[in-house]
Every structure is written in structure tokens, then in C-alpha cells.
Amino acid sequence: MITASTSTAIRAVRLRIDGTVQGVGFRPFIYRLAATLGVRGWVANRNDGVVIHAEGRGEQIENFIDLIGKRAPPASLVVHIEKSPARSSGHKGFSIRESVPLSGRITGISPDLPVCSQCLEDMKKQPHRRGYLLVNCTECGPRFTIIRKLPYDRINTSMSSFPICCRCSEEYNDPGNRRFHAQPVGCNSCGPRYTMTAAGISSEVDFRKLAAIIAAGGILAVKGTGGFNLICDAAGNEAVARLRELKGRDRKPFAVMFGDIASVKRFCKVSNMEEMALTSQKRPVVVLQQRTAKNREGGSNELLETEPESGAGYPAGEAGQISSLVNCGLDSVGAILPYMPFHHMLFESGSPPALVFTSANKSGDPLTAVDDDAAVLYGGSSGALVSYNREIINPADDSVCKVAGGGIQILRRARGYVPEMITLPFDADGIFAAGSDLKNTFAMGMGSSVVLSQHNGDLENWKAFCRFKNNYGKFAGLFGFSPQQIACDLHPGYHSSRFAGRLARGKGMEPVRVQHHHAHIASCMAEHGITTAVSGVCMDGTGYGDDGNIWGSEFMICDYSGYERHGHLGWLPLPGGDAAVKEPWRTALASLHGAGHKNIGAWKAGLLSSVGSEKVETVEKMITGNINSPLSSGAGRLFDAVAALTGLCFEAGYDGEGPMLLESICLKSIDEGYDFSSGSLDVIARVMDDIAAGVGNGLISARFHNGLADHICKTVKRMNRITGTGIIVITGGVFQNSYLLNRVVQLLRQQNLTALTNRKVPVNDGGVSLGQLAIAASKR
């Protein structure tokens, strides 16, 4: 221990910094800090973190250690500083040593970072980087997507194929340069290069030509940080329609890239928190309310969220227009800002102010990241194929988030977030959790931290399942991980559960099988550091229950070791099982039969004209004969039924379409709601009464949302009398519904209850792996 009494003596200390400290300019930061304070010694990367040997007077060393935590680079995350005494070696200065590869414990790895403003300036001013589209420095550029193994050095990345030139080497070795020890450093002489292929002719990238292709209604296939993207004019109906045909994606919304934040505000309403998310180093897609003539001055489409709108005094005028085919009936837009030099150059070269920006893949397939695959898929059908000759080692989709419930809610966790570690309130070392089959991520425990994989997709798709398995192998190799305990979903038919079972049996063990909704609640508990029992509500579409039925509206009092089920919504039959998820009219028809409503004939008449009499008659026989009609308490299925009853969505073009459309028409100024105390079928009957009375869909939607929110709050309030903690966990995919989450949080606050929801992992099934891991840890 260094004390004040020894502050004048020369001391030596060995430090090991754990966390996200590689690929974020940490060693150059340490070098400069040591030089400023007169500390001597060295710093080096190792697999288990950054190691420092520091020599100096006691007060110098104390100040040095204190400032490491206070002034660390913005993209870094210092989790722990391990200190031990060392022997003085009489160092005359401070140096950065060669990295030391070790086996065993592995430190965190930086996510990919958006290009910084200084590098964009370098593209225009530095002769050797003029127009260099892969410019980067210690504060920006690719990280996770180019790394093969630790330590994070050029030789261990896909930059190993590009020997550094003399000019870049000088910058790399200059302590006063932003590229001091920047591993992906490069320029026009030594770095990877872009090429474009249009009309069968390959050439250097010509941005004017690319802008002209977009203006003419063409589509670009462009290699990004984590994979290929498809780009077209967001205002062009024909271009967007052709893009949907190319991807096989009928109605699921597309993300839109805007050139700058001012352009975003022309098209969308943007709060302060949403602007922070848009411009953050994560650089995700942020779901925003579309700015239209109807909602420009406020009114019925205002969100309940009280977060003030950013950019007060934004100039009046016409809202920017995008094609209705971009969001297909929704009142929201998934906005993203440029994060690569290529994106910035495209907007500066005359491209439209709003560009559809979507992953290059056939609907349901994983993101395309290999040049040859992109050429086969899009080489002949796009206006131009644009690529660069550096390999993407770890493919990663763009992350997606929104502001809801008073904070950032992650919907898809990938580029910009992964592989950032999450600190846990318990030890989870050696635990592998396979996650769910939908929106899959997996989790690996390392000490008291956990790393989640990037979004792997839905594992029912064979290519997505192969990506899942490949990513498991890559993560295990990258982090030196060998599972000592394995967890998975309780559902025996999930591909993730079968994979976990085979993996466990190969190691002579059985997996810990975790109930789906318990895992959801545990994921929220773990990320918030909660170790006591809580009252939790989890609402989603489906999850395998202990009784073999389909659960999905669970009120639970639980800790990591177990749970008590304190209620759920009423059971609804799903004629045809999974077919009812894709065709919500089936659930609606079954619920009408269950409710015995007098107006079933009138509603069915409209259904017959849309679906056909033969199909409806077949499903009615399944309902009345109780044939292949499993019961579900899933809140998502109740939303589906109401969306179908109101005529919004008979057949779902994508997961959650009906509920999203129902939310988009909700009248936010209405407080009245349906009474849920008598069960789901009674709510269905009230909905049909309103339809028969000519009540508008917007009011029906508001009454449905408000009634459900009230029911949730009354139920968890009763549960809290048992736990007495005042903490309510809210999770599950249904709470991606911003209006519902906002209202529940607001009502709970009025009752002096603390509402917690997922912030570090997705509230949907993308966060289940964290909960599985936490529950498995409790069973050791």
C-alpha cells in the first residue's frame, strides 16, 4: 500500500487494467499520462487486459492511478484496476512494449466506432489520405468486426494483409499523433481500397456516378462495417418497391439514413435523449416518430414521453417526405446517421437527404458479409456493387434502439454494442447460455462479467442457425472460453436448446433448462445488479410453460433460484399453432367464438372477402373441434386478435406487425380503458361492441392499451405487498410498445413503485441469454 509517508521515495507498482481497454487508444493514453506526470516504466497489451509497470514518487504513482480512471478514453470501460508491488528497474522514461499473448483470462474488446470528425477532415487535407475511405485513428474505426484474436494488434486483425507504409509508420510511432498505436491505420499507399462495379465494369469509386444511380431509382449494394447494406432513395416509390422485391420483404419497415441531425429533424420528431442516441459512439438505428403535417404541431400523435424535443426553434416549413412503402402504415421511422467515411461522402456528393439503409440479405437470412456472396446475390440486380478488399471477420448488423419508459431501450444489440461486457453482481465464470430461438443472442460468463454475442437472427432459418454456431466458435476462441456449465430454454424443440444439449452431453453434463419468462425477468435483474426477490411482469408472444402450454403474460415473484406464478391473461386458442402467429385472423376468429359475440357474422363477412371461404371454414372446424388449437396466454396474441378484429392486420408480414399498427393509431390523449379483470374474452367482447357501435379504431386502441396498463399496475401492486421491495421489473417483447411501457411506468411512479426495464440488453428475446446465465449461476 502506497502511503503519504513514503510519497518522496521511488516506488514501483504493477497494474493490470481489466475491461474494454484494447482498441480504444488506451496504451497511447497511458503513455501520454505517464509522460505528463513524470512516471517511468512501460505499458503493454495482454490477453487479460492492459498491464503497466510504473515507477515514481509515491504521490506521482497515486495521482497516476487516480487519473487512469478519471481520464480514460471515452470509448474505454475500466472495470477493475489490480495493483501489486513491483521491483524498481530504474527506467529512464516510459514506453509501449510489444503485446504479450497469454492463455487463460481474457479482457474486453472494443465495439466498432463511428468515424470521427478529425478523420473526415484528414480525408480532405492530408495528401496521402485524400479520399481514403477507410480512414481511422485511435478514437474511431473498426474494432470487433476485424479482430481474430487477442491481444489487439494489427497482426491479429484483418489488417494483417496490409503492411504499413513509412508515412503511416511514422504516425503510428509518434506519441503526439492521433494514430499513435492505432492498429487499423492506413492510407492510399498501404490501406485497403474500395472498388465499384456498375454495368459489369469495375473501377474506383465515383460518388457522382453513385448519386446519379440513386437519383435514377437505382439500388446500391455497399460493404459496410459489419456487412453489406442496400441503399436507395427513401422518397422513391419504385425504388423502394423494387428493394422490397429484391429482399423478399413485403412490409417490414426499412431504416433510413440521413446526412446529418438537421435532416433527421426535418423528417422526424427528435427529443434530447433521442439525439444523444443518434449521435452516440454506438451509432444505432433509433426509432423516431415521423414528422408529418398532422403531428408537426403536436396533437393526438404526441408520445406520452415527457422528454423535451431537441432543437428548439427548428425552422417551420414542410416536413420531409419519404415513401409510404418505407414504413408501411406505421407512424415511426428508424433513423440512422452516417458512421463510415463512405456514408458521409455519399451525402456530400448530391445524394437525396434520406436514403433507405437496410441489411443486404434475403428476408430471414443473416447479413451478407462476404464479397463473393454479395456479388452473387446483388451483382446483377443492383445499380452498383461497392466493396473494399478487407475481410469482415465478425459480421454484425446495425443495432436498433428507441427511447421509451424514460431511457434508451435496445431492440437489437449488435454493431456498436458488441462485444461490450456487462458487469454482474455475482460470479458467472464459465457459464454458456444459448438464448432463445427468436432474435437470438448467446452469452458467455467470464468472472463477474458477461459478454453477449451480436444478434444472430431467428434460428428456424438454417443459415441463421449456422451463423449462430459459427459465432459460438469464434467467441469461444476469441475469449479463450470453455463452458463449465450450460443453460438453455425450457422448450425442448428449440434449435438453441438442442445445440446446448449436445454441447453439454459432449462434456459429460446436462444443461440447465430455464423457463422463458423467468429468464426475461432475470435478465433485467442481472443488468440492474438486483440480488433480492422482485415482482416481475413479462409479456411477449410465446414461451414454453411448465405445464406444456404456451405462456406469454406472466406475473411472477422471483429471484434467480426460482419463481412463483401470480397470474396471467386469459387463454386464447391458436388454430393451426404457429400458423396463427402469421395469420392473426385465426386467433381473432377463435376469440370471437370463445366470447360468443353476436356480431361474429358481420365481422366474418369482411374476413371472407380477404381470406376466402374455404380457408375460414377449415379454421372454424379446427376451433369448434378443438383440433390443433393449442392454448396461449401470450399478450402478443391478444394484441394480434385486436389488430385483426379492427381490420388492421389479417396476415402478418413480419413479427409484431399487428401490435405495431395498433400502437401507431392509438389516441394518446385518451385515459379510459377496457376492464381486464373479467378476462381476455370479455375484452374481445368489448372491442366488438365498440366496432359495432362505430367507434373509431384509434379510440379502441387507446382503450385496449390503457386497460392493459391499468391491469398490469393493479396486479403488480398486489404482488408488491408480498415482496415489499417496491421494485417492479417490466420486460418481454410486448414492452417494445412505447405507449404501453410509458403508461405503465407513469402509473407505477404515481404509486411510489420503482419500475425497472432492460437497458443494456434487448427487452425482447435478444436479452434472454443473460437471464438464462444468471439463473444457471444461482444453481451452482
Side-chain angles (χ1 to χ4, degrees):
M1 181 74 177
I2 298 170
T3 64
S5 62
T6 61
S7 63
T8 59
I10 298 299
R11 312 289 289 181
V13 64
R14 183 66 57 89
L15 307 174
R16 186 182 69 81
I17 318 294
D18 192 15
T20 305
V21 290
Q22 297 195 24
V24 291
F26 205 85
R27 287 178 298 171
F29 156 70
I30 292 295
Y31 179 96
R32 296 187 186 102
L33 181 62
T36 300
L37 299 177
V39 172
R40 301 178 298 280
W42 51 265
V43 60
N45 273 346
R46 290 196 326 202
N47 298 52
D48 59 348
V50 167
V51 178
I52 302 166
H53 176 88
E55 298 179 6
R57 297 188 309 276
E59 62 183 16
Q60 287 177 305
I61 298 298
E62 288 178 351
N63 198 22
F64 179 66
I65 296 171
D66 182 56
L67 292 177
I68 288 175
K70 291 181 177 178
R71 297 184 181 177
S76 68
L77 175 65
V78 176
V79 173
H80 178 65
I81 300 179
E82 180 183 288
K83 296 179 285 187
S84 59
R87 178 175 296 179
S88 177
S89 302
H91 289 274
K92 302 301 181 184
F94 200 89
S95 63
I96 296 180
R97 286 191 169 181
E98 291 293 320
S99 298
V100 182
L102 296 173
S103 59
R105 184 177 175 86
I106 299 293
T107 192
I109 298 169
S110 170
D112 301 285
L113 302 169
V115 63
C116 68
S117 58
Q118 290 174 292
C119 280
L120 290 174
E121 285 296 312
D122 290 345
M123 282 179 60
K124 299 173 182 177
K125 294 180 178 180
Q126 292 184 344
H128 60 306
R129 288 199 177 86
R130 188 166 289 120
Y132 178 57
L133 295 172
L134 292 163
V135 62
N136 65 85
C137 67
T138 55
E139 297 180 2
C140 72
R143 299 293 190 269
F144 169 65
T145 53
I146 65 170
I147 192 169
R148 289 192 175 92
K149 63 180 181 178
L150 287 170
Y152 177 70
D153 289 317
R154 191 183 187 93
I155 192 66
N156 294 329
T157 73
S158 53
M159 285 298 293
S160 61
S161 303
F162 303 92
I164 193 170
C165 69
C166 293
R167 185 76 177 270
C168 288
S169 180
E170 289 176 3
E171 296 170 331
Y172 181 89
N173 290 293
D174 179 4
N177 195 286
R178 283 190 357 270
R179 296 184 175 87
F180 182 46
H181 279 259
Q183 302 307 318
V185 65
C187 68
N188 287 319
S189 297
C190 65
R193 299 184 68 84
Y194 272 88
T195 56
M196 61 177 280
T197 303
I201 301 173
S202 295
S203 63
E204 291 187 358
V205 173
D206 183 335
F207 282 99
R208 292 183 182 276
K209 185 177 292 186
L210 293 178
I213 291 172
I214 294 173
I219 297 170
L220 306 183
V222 180
K223 189 174 185 179
T225 299
F228 280 81
N229 296 103
L230 298 176
I231 298 172
C232 73
D233 182 4
N237 287 332
E238 291 185 8
V240 179
R242 186 161 164 265
L243 181 55
R244 289 200 174 280
E245 183 180 356
L246 188 61
K247 281 178 64 76
R249 182 166 167 172
D250 291 338
R251 296 191 298 274
K252 188 175 182 180
F254 286 135
V256 178
M257 179 173 278
F258 299 93
D260 52 36
I261 192 66
S263 295
V264 178
K265 292 176 182 178
R266 182 182 164 211
F267 287 80
C268 306
K269 297 173 68 67
V270 185
S271 72
N272 291 331
M273 194 178 295
E274 287 166 339
E275 182 169 348
M276 287 175 60
L278 279 165
T279 58
S280 72
Q281 289 190 313
K282 309 296 186 188
R283 206 53 60 90
V285 174
V286 181
V287 180
L288 305 172
Q289 186 181 14
Q290 186 174 357
R291 186 183 288 276
T292 65
K294 182 178 179 181
N295 66 26
R296 187 174 177 83
E297 302 303 326
S300 62
N301 285 325
E302 285 290 332
L303 291 175
L304 187 67
E305 191 69 54
T306 57
E307 170 73 15
E309 188 174 356
S310 173
Y314 185 80
E318 292 298 320
Q321 298 298 312
I322 62 173
S323 168
S324 62
L325 296 177
V326 170
N327 50 7
C328 293
L330 299 178
D331 64 347
S332 58
V333 174
I336 186 170
L337 290 173
Y339 56 85
M340 295 184 75
F342 180 93
H343 305 149
H344 287 274
M345 290 295 294
L346 193 58
F347 282 105
E348 290 179 14
S349 302
S351 290
L355 298 173
V356 169
F357 188 80
T358 186
S359 55
N361 60 304
K362 297 295 183 181
S363 186
D365 286 354
L367 174 68
T368 303
V370 178
D371 287 52
D372 289 346
D373 293 344
V376 170
L377 286 171
Y378 306 111
S381 54
S382 62
L385 178 67
V386 184
S387 185
Y388 55 82
N389 59 336
R390 182 181 68 205
E391 182 183 0
I392 296 173
I393 305 296
N394 301 298
D397 290 91
D398 292 314
S399 295
V400 182
C401 72
K402 62 161 64 171
V403 171
I408 302 296
Q409 182 187 73
I410 302 172
L411 307 181
R412 182 170 70 200
R413 192 174 184 271
R415 180 194 53 75
Y417 287 92
V418 176
E420 194 172 72
M421 289 190 173
I422 298 170
T423 302
L424 302 173
F426 47 78
D427 179 69
D429 197 53
I431 302 176
F432 169 70
S436 176
D437 263 21
L438 298 179
K439 301 176 178 63
N440 176 271
T441 67
F442 57 75
M444 293 179 173
M446 284 163 271
S448 59
S449 296
V450 60
V451 60
L452 268 66
S453 74
Q454 66 271 51
H455 169 81
N456 292 310
D458 295 346
L459 303 191
E460 291 179 351
N461 179 290
W462 175 248
K463 292 181 180 179
F465 181 57
C466 290
R467 177 68 59 85
F468 161 83
K469 293 189 294 182
N470 289 339
N471 284 342
Y472 169 79
K474 288 179 179 179
F475 268 66
L478 187 58
F479 291 99
F481 181 85
S482 178
Q484 306 304 310
Q485 189 179 21
I486 296 168
C488 65
D489 196 275
L490 185 64
H491 197 305
Y494 273 2
H495 297 284
S496 53
S497 299
R498 291 174 178 175
F499 175 84
R502 290 192 296 269
L503 186 64
R505 287 188 290 275
K507 294 181 174 292
M509 64 178 88
E510 284 296 318
V512 177
R513 299 187 184 276
V514 180
Q515 201 284 320
H516 187 83
H517 305 97
H518 186 201
H520 265 297
I521 296 172
S523 75
C524 187
M525 293 170 62
E527 70 164 77
H528 286 282
I530 296 173
T531 56
T532 58
V534 300
S535 300
V537 54
C538 176
M539 292 199 168
D540 61 5
T542 183
Y544 193 75
D546 290 340
D547 56 6
N549 285 319
I550 303 169
W551 292 6
S553 56
E554 308 312 304
F555 294 91
M556 295 177 171
I557 292 177
C558 61
D559 56 18
Y560 299 118
S561 63
Y563 67 89
E564 296 175 357
R565 195 180 186 205
H566 280 254
H568 58 82
L569 297 179
W571 298 103
L572 293 177
L574 304 182
D578 287 344
V581 178
K582 298 176 181 177
E583 298 179 338
W585 65 265
R586 293 171 177 252
T587 309
L589 185 59
S591 66
L592 284 180
H593 274 275
H597 201 277
K598 59 185 179 181
N599 288 323
I600 185 172
W603 181 82
K604 202 168 71 171
L607 178 66
L608 289 169
S609 63
S610 297
V611 177
S613 59
E614 184 177 347
K615 200 169 188 179
V616 172
E617 289 171 5
T618 300
V619 170
E620 281 199 297
K621 289 178 182 179
M622 295 169 66
I623 294 168
T624 55
N626 194 24
I627 301 169
N628 189 23
S629 297
L631 296 176
S632 168
S633 66
R637 304 291 77 83
L638 183 58
F639 270 86
D640 281 347
V642 175
L645 290 174
T646 52
L648 293 172
C649 183
F650 284 154
E651 298 182 355
Y654 56 90
D655 180 41
E657 182 181 16
M660 290 171 69
L661 290 169
L662 194 63
E663 180 193 3
S664 72
I665 64 166
C666 179
L667 299 179
K668 275 71 173 181
S669 59
I670 301 298
D671 283 329
E672 62 196 71
Y674 298 125
D675 182 0
F676 272 68
S677 62
S678 297
S680 298
L681 291 179
D682 187 65
V683 172
I684 293 295
R686 301 290 75 75
V687 169
M688 284 303 296
D689 287 344
D690 278 353
I691 292 172
V695 174
N697 283 346
L699 180 53
I700 291 173
S701 174
R703 287 173 173 172
F704 177 75
H705 281 87
N706 294 343
L708 179 57
D710 291 344
H711 178 70
I712 290 170
C713 293
K714 289 176 182 176
T715 304
V716 297
K717 185 178 180 181
R718 290 196 297 269
M719 293 161 60
N720 185 64
R721 295 191 189 118
I722 300 173
T723 64
T725 64
I727 298 174
I728 310 298
V729 167
I730 306 169
T731 187
V734 164
F735 289 106
Q736 293 172 125
N737 183 314
S738 297
Y739 179 80
L740 180 65
L741 179 61
N742 289 339
R743 190 169 182 90
V744 169
V745 169
Q746 184 182 67
L747 291 173
L748 290 177
R749 285 175 181 168
Q750 291 172 359
Q751 298 174 23
N752 295 318
L753 296 174
T754 300
L756 297 180
T757 190
N758 296 91
R759 299 299 182 195
K760 296 179 182 178
V761 301
V763 72
N764 57 42
D765 281 7
V768 162
S769 59
L770 174 58
Q772 292 173 348
L773 179 139
I775 291 168
S778 74
K779 300 186 181 301
R780 288 180 156 180

